Amino acid sequence: MALPLRSLSRGLASAAKGDHGGAGAGTWRLLTFLLALPSVALCTFNCWLHKGHHERPEFIPYHHLRIRTKRYSWGDGNHTLFHNPHVNPLPTGYENP
């Protein structure tokens, strides 16, 4: 059974004409201004309230983490590409700041 592609495409094209979205556009505009933007503002305020320096956890040398079977090809071979000495420990522990 062949699909009537011409009538399908004409139906979709005729739906594009008109008042640029109809009632659905108004609903999404209302949701954007009354739900999405206040939610983003609330999350931003929450992050601002809880900003600050957090203590790093105690280093526990688990044998299944931080396994180095070969050296990295950059730097000294022990630091990952995006290494942060305040957050990421080496296999032997945290670096001294």
Side-chain angles (χ1 to χ4, degrees):
M1 180 175 149
L3 293 173
L5 293 178
R6 182 169 293 279
S7 64
L8 179 64
S9 66
R10 287 184 185 201
L12 293 175
S14 65
K17 291 183 183 179
D19 59 330
H20 196 64
T27 303
W28 283 106
R29 181 176 292 126
L30 185 70
L31 286 174
T32 298
F33 288 118
L34 295 180
L35 186 68
L37 293 179
S39 298
V40 169
L42 184 65
C43 290
T44 303
F45 183 67
N46 187 28
C47 288
W48 180 73
L49 284 177
H50 296 294
K51 72 177 180 178
H53 182 69
H54 298 286
E55 296 295 324
R56 63 182 174 193
E58 178 185 347
F59 178 74
I60 301 173
Y62 292 114
H63 66 279
H64 63 280
L65 296 177
R66 293 172 287 279
I67 297 172
R68 306 280 199 265
T69 56
K70 66 178 190 175
R71 298 173 58 84
Y72 292 116
S73 59
W74 52 82
D76 65 352
N78 199 24
H79 293 82
T80 59
L81 185 60
F82 299 106
H83 181 75
N84 183 350
H86 300 290
V87 179
N88 305 116
L90 295 174
T92 58
Y94 289 106
E95 297 177 67
N96 292 330

